[in-house]
Amino acid sequence: MVANTMTTEAPQRIATAKPVVAERTEKTGTGRLALDAQDVHVYYDTFHAVKGISLPIHEKEITALIGPSGCGKSTLLRCFNRMNDVVSGVRIEGQILYKNQDIYAAGVDPVAVRRRIGMVFQKPNPFPKSIYNNVAWGAKINGYKGNMDELVEKSLRQAALWDEVKDKLQQSGLSLSGGQQQRLCIARTLAIQPDVILMDEPASALDPIASSKIEELMLELKKDYTIVVVTHNMQQAARVSDRTALLWLGELVEYDETQTIFTNPSQQKTEDYITGRHG
Amino acid sequence: MVANTMTTEAPQRIATAKPVVAERTEKTGTGRLALDAQDVHVYYDTFHAVKGISLPIHEKEITALIGPSGCGKSTLLRCFNRMNDVVSGVRIEGQILYKNQDIYAAGVDPVAVRRRIGMVFQKPNPFPKSIYNNVAWGAKINGYKGNMDELVEKSLRQAALWDEVKDKLQQSGLSLSGGQQQRLCIARTLAIQPDVILMDEPASALDPIASSKIEELMLELKKDYTIVVVTHNMQQAARVSDRTALLWLGELVEYDETQTIFTNPSQQKTEDYITGRHG
Amino acid sequence: MSQTPQSNTSSDVLPDLSSRASIGESIIAGILFLCGIISILTTISIVVVLVREAYLFFGASEVTLREFFTGTTWQPAIGRFGIWPLINATLMTSFAAMLVSLPLGISAAIYLSEYASERARSIIKPILEILAGIPTVVYGYFALTFMTPLLRNIFGTDTVDIFNTGSAGIVMGFMILPMISSISEDALRAVPDSLRNAAYGLGATKFETAVRVVFPAALSGIMAAFILGLSRAVGETMIVAVAAGAGPRNFDSWGEAFSAEGFNFFKAAETMTGHIARISQGDISYASLDYSSIFSIGLMLFIITLILNIISRSVVNRLREQYE
Amino acid sequence: MQLHRSILESNLQELQSKLQEMARLSLDGLEQAIESLKRGDTALAGRVIAGDDKINQLEVDIEQTVVVTIATQQPAAGDLRAIIAALQIATELERIGDHAASIAKVTIRIGGEKLMKPLIDIPRMATNGKDMLMKSLKAYEDQDSILAHEVAADDEDMDLLNNQIIRELLAYMVEDPAKITQGSNLLWVTHNLERIGDRATNIAERVLFMKTGETLDLNR
Amino acid sequence: MQLHRSILESNLQELQSKLQEMARLSLDGLEQAIESLKRGDTALAGRVIAGDDKINQLEVDIEQTVVVTIATQQPAAGDLRAIIAALQIATELERIGDHAASIAKVTIRIGGEKLMKPLIDIPRMATNGKDMLMKSLKAYEDQDSILAHEVAADDEDMDLLNNQIIRELLAYMVEDPAKITQGSNLLWVTHNLERIGDRATNIAERVLFMKTGETLDLNR
Amino acid sequence: MIPETNSNYNPRLVARQRMGRAWQIVFMSSTVLALIFLIVLMLNIINSAFGLVALENTIAPSELADEPLEALEKEALVGILADNIRRNAGRKLEREQRFFADTLAFESQEKWDEVCARAEAPEGCSSTPRDHANVLALVYERVVEQQVLETYPLWDSITRGDEIRAEIEAQHPGATVEFWSWLDRNFLTTPMSSDAALAGVRTAILGSLWVIALTILFAFPTGVGAALYLQEYAPNNWLTRIIQTNIDNLAGVPSILYGMLGLAIFARTLEPITSGQFLGVGSENGRTILSASLTMALLILPVIIINAQEALRAVPSSLRNAAYGVGATRWQMIWSHVLPYAMPGILTGTILAVSRAIGETAPLLVVGAATFMTSDPNSIFSKFTVMPIQIFNWTSRPQAEFRNIAAAAIIVLLFILLTLNTTAILLRNRFSTRR
Ligand SMILES: Nc1ncnc2c1ncn2[C@@H]1O[C@H](COP(=O)(O)OP(=O)(O)OP(=O)(O)O)[C@@H](O)[C@H]1O
Ligand SMILES: Nc1ncnc2c1ncn2[C@@H]1O[C@H](COP(=O)(O)OP(=O)(O)OP(=O)(O)O)[C@@H](O)[C@H]1O
Ligand SMILES: [Mg+2]
Ligand SMILES: [Mg+2]
Ligand SMILES: O=P([O-])([O-])[O-]
C-alpha cells in the first residue's frame, strides 16, 4: 500500500502526460478525490484494453466516461471496485488509490472493496427475491447491525422508489418495471452505504422516460455519493456529469469539466467525437 | 378496395380530428403520399394498442414515429407492411392505402405487400449466409430477372457498404460488425427495390458511431425511397426526419414537420415530451 | 511525495480492506472439485476395464487380432471370433432406425417449430417427450409383439423371421424419433425470430422462410441430432436383445457377408450390444473367454460411439459460434 | 417520481436572474445618468460609466450560460426559445447599459457648464424609456404577449417625442451658436434615449418569439 | 464510410451563406447610402432604405435556422459556437443595414440642398468601416483570429477620425448657424459610421469566441 | 391484389404459396405418424394386459368345497392342502413359513424341534404364520392347479368374444373362459412366480425403489457439486476443459458399457465391499443393490451434471454481478442466488435422469440382476431385480401368458415414469413462466 497525497493538486502529475487534464474551479463536490487511478493498464490475456490511464475521481461529483464502443470504458470502470477480478484472464497493472490505499495491493480483499465501492449495471438485475430482501440482502451479508426496516425504507427513499413500492415490499423485485428495477438496484447499493457508486450504462436499457428518472436520481445522489458513470449516450453525459473523460482505444483522450468538454474541448479528437464527426 | 384520391390534400379530413396535423410547404419529398393510414386500430387479443390513428406518409421523406415505450410505435409501423400478421392474436381495423389500394383488403397477399414495403429491424439480422447471398436472396425469391451481380453491387453501394465488403462478398454476413450488419440488412431490402422502407429503431442496438452512419445513410436513401422510422431517441428523430409523429398510449398526439415539433409544437404534451418533462 | 496540508481529510476512518479468513470457501471449492474429478475417474475406469479385458482376450491363444477384424463368423463355442457378423447386425438395425427417424423427426421438428400453433405445440411436444421417456425394453416388447407380426402379415411368414433386424430397426427408429425431432426443433427454434422477420420482410412465403432460411441456419444442430441419434442406435441394447435375434448371423465368407442375404432385414441377427447382453446374463465365469470376449466388443462399441459423439459435438460447437 | 430536469431548470433560472440583475443595473444606470446630466454631477456620471463593466460582464456570463446549457442540456421547443431569447435580451440590455454610459459621458463632456435650458423633455423621454423597458421585462418574466405589444405602441410616442426634442434643440442651436456644442451633445442624449426605446421594443419582440416561435418586427 | 453530419453541415452552410448575403447587402447599402449623400441622390437613398427590409428578413431567417438547427441537430463545441456566433453576427449585420438606412435617410432629409463642404472625411470613414467589416467577415469565414484582432486595432483609427469630423463639423456649425441642421445631420452620419466600426469589432469578437470559446471585449 | 409494377421482378406468388401448402401437409403428417406410433404402442400393451383366458383346473374348486374357496376358514383351507398335496411338500411349505402359530400342520413336534435346533434353522421356525390369503393362494397353486391354456388379446376378446368362446369350447371341452385383467392388486403385491397366472411384481417394484433411492443419493449431490465446480469455480484451463469434454462424452457412452464397468469394478473387483461381506452380512457375490445403484449413479451422473450446468448457465451473469456488487463472497453468491435460481432446472434435469434410470435395463442385466427372485430386498447388500429386468425376462419367455404379464408390468412401469415425467414437466413449466 502506498501512502499518496490525495489532494486537489494530485492531478498535477498528469499535466505532463499527453491527455490534457484541466483543473478548474469547482462548482460542486468537496474538492477532494474519492478515487485516484494511476497509470492503470488492463489486459485481457494478451489484448491491451486499457492503456495507462490516470484518472482522479472527485468526491461528490459525477464523473462520466464516454467513448466509442470497445474503447475500454466498462473495463476501466470495473477496475474501480475490482469487479474485473471475476472475469478470467484479466491482468491489471497500476494503482487505484482509495483513501490512501491501493485497492490492488496484496492483502486487499476485493469483497471489502466492493462493499465500499458499489456498482449498478447496464441491465437492471434485481435478485429474484422480494423488494424488501433485494435491499436488505447486501446489508445483511455485510453484517448490518441496525434496524433493517429503517435501512430498507431509507435506501428506497433515497432511490426515489419508496412511494411506488411501499405497499408491496413483499412482492418480487422482478414484478417492477424496468426503470423501477434499476432504481431498486440503486437502492440495494445504497443499503450497503458505499462511498462511491459505479454505474455502467445505467439507463441504456431503459426507455427515455425511465432513463431521465435515473438521471434525476443521479443528480440527487451526488449530494451524498461520488458517482462514476459509463455512458454511450454523450448527451446524457453532458446532462448529468460534472466531469467527463473521453476514452479512445483504451487511452484517455481528454478529461475535463463537462461544460468545457462540450463547449470547448482542447483536443481535436474530442471535438470531432462531441460534434458527431467520428469517422 | 377503396379508390382514394392520394394527393397532398388527403390529410384534410384529419384536420377535424383532435391531434393537429399541420401541413406546411414542402422542403423535400415529392408532395405526394406514399402510404396513408386511415383510422387504424390494432388489438392484441383484447388490448387496444393503436387507437384510431390516421397518418399520411409523404413520399421520399423520412417520417419518424416517437413516443414513450409501449405507446404503439412498433405496432403501428408493422401495420404498414402487414408484419403484424405474423403475430398471433392481432386484430387490425381501418385502412392503409398504398397506391390507391387498401393493403388490408381481402385478396391482398401480405407477401406481395412486404415485397413493396420493405422492413429493417432493431437488431441487425443478416441471414447466416454469405454477404452476397444475403443481398441476393430476397431478389431471387422474388424472381429477379436482371444481372444479380450488378444488383448486389448496386444495393451494397446504395447502402454505403460496398467499399467495406467488396473484397469479401463470400464471407458470412455475420462476420461483419454490428453497424455493417445493419447496413447489410438495408442493402438486402434495397435489393428488392421496394417503394417504402420501414425501420424499427434501426440504430438503437448500435454504438453512437455506427448509429450516426445509419442516420447519414437514411438521409442519402430518402432521395429514392420513402422511409418511416420508429425511434426511441428523440434527438435522432430530430436529426434525420422531415416529419415527426408523437404517439401516446396508442393515440396520435401531434404530427407535423419535424422542425415545428422540435421548436414550436402546438400540443402541450408534445412540448413536455420534447423538452424532457414527461412525468 | 510531499504531504500537503489539505491532504485527504475525507479519510476520517481508514477502511479495512484486508482479506477476511475464507477457509470455509476453500474447503467448499475443494469438495466441489472432487465431484468434478469423479467423471474423469469414470472414464478412466471404463477404458481400463475394457482395455484390460480386451487385452486378456486378445492375449488368449484362440484369438488373433487379424481374425477378430477379418473373420466373418462369431462362434465362441468353436473358437471363431470374427466380429463382422455383430457389426453387420448393428449397422443394419441402425440404418433402419435412421431411415425411419431422420425424415420423420426432421419433418416433425419443422412442423412443430414453424407451423404448429402454440396450442398444438403445447400438446404435441409433451406427447413426444413421453415417447422419449418410454424404456427401451418396452420398445423391444412392442417390436416383438406388434411390429414383427405386422411385417409377417405384410410380407408373409416365410420371408420374415420371428426375430429380425428390420422390426427392431423400425421400432428403434421411432424410439430415436423424439430425440431427433426434439434436438432439431431446439435448433430450429434457436434460430432467432429476427431471421424469420427478415425473410418475411423481403417478401418470402412461410414455406420459403422455414425451409430456405430457418432450416439452413439450424442445419448444424440438425446434423448433431442425426449423429447423436446414430450413436444412440448403435448403443441401443434392449430392443435388439428382444427382437433382433439371439445369435450372430454368421457368414462363411466375405462374399456371402456382402450378398443380398447378408443384409436381409427379415432375418435374425445379433448386434454387438445384443450379444453382450445375452452373454453377460446368468453366471458367467469371470475367467472364461466368453467373459473377456464381450469386453473386446465393448471396446469396439466404445470407440465407435466416442467418435460419433466427438463429431456431433464439434458440429454443435460450430453452431454455437455461429450465433455468438 | 416527478420529473423536472433540475439542471436545465436551474440554468434557465440562472439566466432569468442574471437578466433581472442586468435590467436592474441598466435601469439604475439610466436613471443615474439622467440625474447626473440634470445636476451636472460628473462624479455620478463617472460611477455610471464604471458600472457599465458589471453589465458587460453579466452579458458575457449569460452568453456563457447559454452556450453551456445548449451544449449540455439539449433544450428544445419552449426551453430553447427562452434561452435564445435570453441571449438576445442580454445583448439588448448590455446596449442599454452602453446608452446609459453614453449619456453619462455627455454629462462629463458638458462638464460644469450650465444647461441651455432646464431639462424637461429629456427626463420625460428617459422615464418613458424606463417604463418601456420595465414593461418589456415584465412581459418577458410573465410571458405576457399583450404587454409586449403595448411596448411596441409606446415606442411610437417615443419617436414622436424624440423628433420634437430634436427640432427644439436645433432651434436653440440656430438661435445661439454658442450652444451648438452643448446642443449636439444633448441631441446625442436624446438619440440614446430613443435607442433605449427601440431596445425595449426589441425585447418585446423576443418575448413574442419565445411565446410563439414566430419572429416579428415590432419596429416596423 | 465517411461521416459528415450532412444536415448539420448544410445548416451551417446555409447560415454562412445567409450571413454572406447579409454582409453583401449591407455593404452595398452603406456604399450606396454614402454615394447618395455625396450626390444628393434621394432616389438612390430611397432604394437603400427599401433594401433594408431584405436584410431584416435575412436576420429573421438566420434566427429561425439557428433555432431549428439547435433543436434538431444538437450541435456542440465548435459547431455550437459557430451557430451562436452566426446569430450574433446576424444581429450586428442587421444593425449595419439599419445604419446604412439611417445615412440614406439623412440624404433624404438634406434633400437637394448643397453640402456645406465637399465630403472627404465621411467617405473615408465609410471606406474604413467597409474595410473593417469586410475584414471581420473574412476573419469569420477563415476563422482567422489575427485578422479579428486587426479589426479591433482599426476601430481605434475610426474613433479618432470620428472625433476629428465631429470637431470639424461643430466648427462649421458655430461658424455658420444656417448649417446647423445640415451639420447635425452629418454628425448623425458620422455617428452611424462610427457605430459600423463598432459593429465590425463586435463581429471580430464573435469570431474569437467561435475559435476559442472565450468571450472578450475588443471594444474595451 | 397488389400488382407487380417493377418489370425486373416476377414473384409468381400463386405457385409459391401452393408449394408451401403441399409441404405443410407433409410436415404435419410426419408428426401425426409419430403420435400414431405412440398410440399403437399403448394400445398394443393394453391389448395384451387385458383379455379373455381359457383356464383349466386339475381339480375344480367346486369339488373341494361347497362354498367358494374364498369363503372358507384358514383351517379348512389347510385341511384341503393336507388332503391334496404330498406330505413332503407340505413339510417343506411349513419350514418356509408355518401355518399356525400354536400347532403344526404337517410336521411332528419332535422333528420340528430338532430341525429348529440346528445351526441353520429354516425361516419357518421364527416366522409369523401364514395368513388366510397366503394359504388360499397355496390352495390355488398346489391343489386347484389352475392352468392357462390360451390367452386372447383385448381387441379380439371384445370384437369376437363369442367366436373365441366357441373355439375354446371346441378345443378344450373342460376349460372355463374368463375375462382377466392381468394387472390387478395381486399382481402388484405378490412376488415373482414361475407361474404366469400367479406371478407379481412386488419384488421388482421394491428392487427398483431401492436401486433408485440409492442412485439418487449417490448421483444428485455429486452431480450438482460437479456442475457447480465447472460453472462457478473452475478456472479456464486444460484440466477443466478435459473434465468438460469428458462429461460430454460420458453422456454419449452406451448404457450397456456402464453395465460392463459395473460388472468389472463393483460386482467383481469391489466384491468384498459391494456384497457386504466386509461387514459380515449380505450376499454371496457382488451382484447387489449397492453395485446396481453405483452403476446407475455413474450412468446418470453425466446427465445430471449436464442438466445442472445448463440450469446454472441459465442463471444470468447479471445476478452474479449483482451479488458481487453488494460485496458478497463467492459462496454467498452461489448459495443465496445461483442455487435457488437454478434449482428448478436442476431438479427437472435430475427427475428426467432418474426416470431414465428407472427404465434402464441393459446395464443392470450386465451387472447381474437376478432374473428370478421371490424374496423382497431388505438391505443394500441384497440381490436385486428391477421392473424392466422383470419385463425383459417375461418378454423373452416363449409362453404366451408371460407376454400378458409383461404387458401388465409395462403398464405399471409406464405409470411410474409418466408420473415422474409429468412432475418434471410441471416443475419446468411452473418455473419457466414465473420468470
Ligand atoms: N472478457 C473479455 N475478454 C476479452 N476481451 C474483452 C473482454 N471484455 C472486454 N474485452 C475487450 O476489451 C475492450 C474494451 O471492452 P469494454 O467492455 O471495456 O468496452 P466499452 O468501452 O465498455 O464498450 P461498450 O461501449 O461496447 O460497452 C473491447 O475491445 C473488448 O472486446
Ligand atoms: N404480441 C403482443 N401481444 C400482446 N401485447 C403486445 C404485443 N406486442 C406489443 N404489445 C403491447 O402493445 C403495446 C404497444 O407495443 P409496441 O411494441 O408497439 O410499443 P412501442 O411503442 O414500439 O414500444 P417500444 O418503444 O418499447 O418498442 C404495448 O403495451 C405492448 O405491451
Ligand atoms: Mg461497456
Ligand atoms: Mg418498439
Ligand atoms: O447601438 P446602436 O447604434 O444601434 O444604438
Side-chain angles (χ1 to χ4, degrees), chain A residues 187-204:
Chain A
R188 177 176 72 186
T189 306
L190 298 179
I192 57 169
Q193 300 177 357
D195 290 331
V196 182
I197 304 178
L198 309 177
M199 301 186 170
D200 193 349
E201 312 205 18
S204 73

Side-chain angles (χ1 to χ4, degrees), chain B residues 143 145, chain F residues 4-10:
Chain B
K145 292 192 292 255
Chain F
E4 181 60 47
T5 51
N6 190 328
S7 62
N8 284 329
Y9 297 85
N10 175 19

Side-chain angles (χ1 to χ4, degrees), chain A residues 4-19 21 33 35-40 53-57 95 97, chain C residues 1:
Chain A
N4 187 290
T5 52
M6 304 269 289
T7 70
T8 27
E9 275 78 24
Q12 280 175 343
R13 92 194 109 64
I14 308 164
T16 56
K18 227 188 126 204
V21 180
L33 293 188
L35 284 167
D36 191 9
Q38 301 186 346
D39 194 26
V40 172
I53 288 186
S54 296
L55 197 73
I57 304 291
Q95 297 189 333
L97 299 184
Chain C
M1 259 178 236

Side-chain angles (χ1 to χ4, degrees), chain C residues 137-177:
Chain C
V137 66
V138 177
Y139 281 98
Y141 176 90
F142 182 74
L144 190 65
T145 63
F146 182 84
M147 196 51 75
T148 301
L150 183 69
L151 291 181
R152 295 178 69 148
N153 262 344
I154 297 172
F155 297 102
T157 43
D158 298 337
T159 7
V160 184
D161 287 358
I162 290 198
F163 296 108
N164 62 75
T165 50
S167 158
I170 291 171
V171 171
M172 209 197 288
F174 279 99
M175 180 201 84
I176 296 168
L177 186 150

Side-chain angles (χ1 to χ4, degrees), chain F residues 5-260:
Chain F
T5 51
N6 190 328
S7 62
N8 284 329
Y9 297 85
N10 175 19
R12 297 179 306 110
L13 254 180
V14 177
R16 282 159 63 200
Q17 296 284 26
R18 200 184 308 122
M19 172 145 97
R21 280 189 293 274
W23 274 98
Q24 181 174 357
I25 292 170
V26 171
F27 296 146
M28 200 163 91
S29 320
S30 300
T31 315
V32 169
L33 192 59
L35 299 184
I36 289 176
F37 179 86
L38 178 67
I39 293 167
V40 169
L41 187 145
M42 293 296 176
L43 289 180
N44 178 49
I45 289 163
I46 292 170
N47 202 22
S48 305
F50 307 92
L52 292 174
V53 288
L55 297 168
E56 197 173 53
N57 296 330
T58 312
I59 302 175
S62 54
E63 289 171 29
L64 295 170
D66 302 333
E67 314 167 58
L69 292 176
E70 284 75 7
L72 295 178
E73 295 293 315
K74 188 161 120 187
E75 286 76 7
L77 290 173
V78 176
I80 292 175
L81 267 184
D83 294 344
N84 290 287
I85 63 174
R86 275 175 295 136
R87 201 155 184 87
N88 265 342
R91 285 204 196 98
K92 189 154 169 263
L93 286 174
E94 192 145 48
R95 284 183 196 178
E96 276 174 18
Q97 192 179 4
R98 51 192 302 169
F99 287 88
F100 302 107
D102 36 5
T103 57
L104 292 165
F106 295 89
E107 194 74 77
S108 70
Q109 191 64 43
E110 308 82 67
K111 182 73 180 169
W112 183 257
D113 291 342
E114 182 203 321
V115 169
C116 285
R118 282 187 211 145
E120 286 177 19
E123 282 182 31
C125 294
S126 50
S127 69
T128 52
R130 294 175 190 269
D131 57 11
H132 182 269
N134 188 306
V135 180
L136 182 67
L138 278 180
V139 171
Y140 274 112
E141 188 183 333
R142 300 297 173 105
V143 183
V144 177
E145 277 197 286
Q146 191 179 53
Q147 285 160 2
V148 177
L149 296 175
E150 203 82 57
T151 70
Y152 297 88
L154 181 61
W155 178 250
D156 288 353
S157 309
I158 294 170
T159 51
R160 33 186 284 271
D162 294 337
E163 227 173 289
I164 289 171
R165 280 170 212 276
E167 227 169 75
I168 295 171
E169 195 67 41
Q171 286 175 11
H172 314 279
T176 55
V177 180
E178 280 181 27
F179 184 88
W180 271 18
S181 163
W182 293 91
L183 174 63
D184 58 9
R185 222 175 70 88
N186 265 342
F187 182 71
L188 294 177
T189 51
T190 52
M192 178 71 173
S193 159
S194 54
D195 181 346
L198 298 172
V201 286
R202 188 179 77 189
T203 330
I205 289 179
L206 288 176
S208 281
L209 288 182
W210 272 95
V211 170
I212 286 307
L214 223 52
T215 301
I216 294 174
L217 204 65
F218 294 137
F220 181 70
T222 326
V224 175
L228 275 181
Y229 173 73
L230 286 171
Q231 285 310 119
E232 307 292 335
Y233 282 87
N236 185 11
N237 61 16
W238 61 271
L239 180 62
T240 308
R241 278 193 293 278
I242 285 184
I243 296 178
Q244 187 65 63
T245 312
N246 181 51
I247 288 171
D248 293 345
N249 281 333
L250 276 181
V253 169
S255 59
I256 195 165
L257 292 180
Y258 283 93
M260 300 177 79

Side-chain angles (χ1 to χ4, degrees), chain A residues 44 47 49 68-75 87 201 232:
Chain A
Y44 289 108
F47 178 69
S69 197
C71 67
K73 304 181 293 293
S74 303
T75 304
V87 182
E201 312 205 18
H232 245 138

Side-chain angles (χ1 to χ4, degrees), chain B residues 44 47 49 67-76 87-88 200-201 230 232:
Chain B
Y44 289 108
F47 177 69
S69 196
C71 67
K73 305 181 292 295
S74 303
T75 305
L76 179 62
V87 183
S88 70
D200 194 349
E201 311 204 18
V230 162
H232 245 138

Side-chain angles (χ1 to χ4, degrees), chain E residues 76-206:
Chain E
D79 292 339
L80 176 57
R81 295 202 310 274
I83 290 171
I84 296 290
L87 179 65
Q88 295 177 315
I89 292 173
T91 316
E92 305 295 343
L93 288 174
E94 192 264 343
R95 273 317 141 74
I96 290 174
D98 286 354
H99 291 309
S102 287
I103 294 173
K105 278 180 196 155
V106 169
T107 304
I108 290 174
R109 275 208 293 278
I110 293 178
E113 196 182 318
K114 194 183 167 295
L115 290 180
M116 59 195 196
K117 67 165 271 236
L119 290 183
I120 298 172
D121 283 338
I122 287 184
R124 212 173 85 209
M125 209 177 156
T127 312
N128 275 7
K130 260 174 57 185
D131 284 354
M132 281 174 71
L133 189 55
M134 271 152 62
K135 232 181 233 176
S136 66
L137 288 168
K138 182 137 177 52
Y140 171 69
E141 267 160 56
D142 303 350
Q143 305 216 11
D144 183 340
S145 49
I146 296 171
L147 213 52
H149 278 284
E150 261 179 43
V151 173
D154 289 353
D155 196 36
E156 319 246 306
D157 298 349
M158 198 74 167
D159 287 350
L160 292 178
L161 199 53
N162 185 32
N163 288 342
Q164 183 200 317
I165 297 176
I166 290 175
R167 270 197 306 278
E168 203 177 326
L169 281 173
L170 285 179
Y172 270 103
M173 284 155 76
V174 172
E175 220 166 80
D176 178 0
K179 287 191 177 133
I180 284 181
T181 309
Q182 198 189 68
S184 63
N185 269 324
L186 290 180
L187 271 180
W188 186 227
V189 170
T190 62
H191 166 65
N192 274 302
L193 291 173
E194 190 267 346
R195 293 303 287 151
I196 287 178
D198 288 353
R199 301 285 179 197
T201 314
N202 286 346
I203 293 176
E205 256 173 44
R206 297 306 157 200

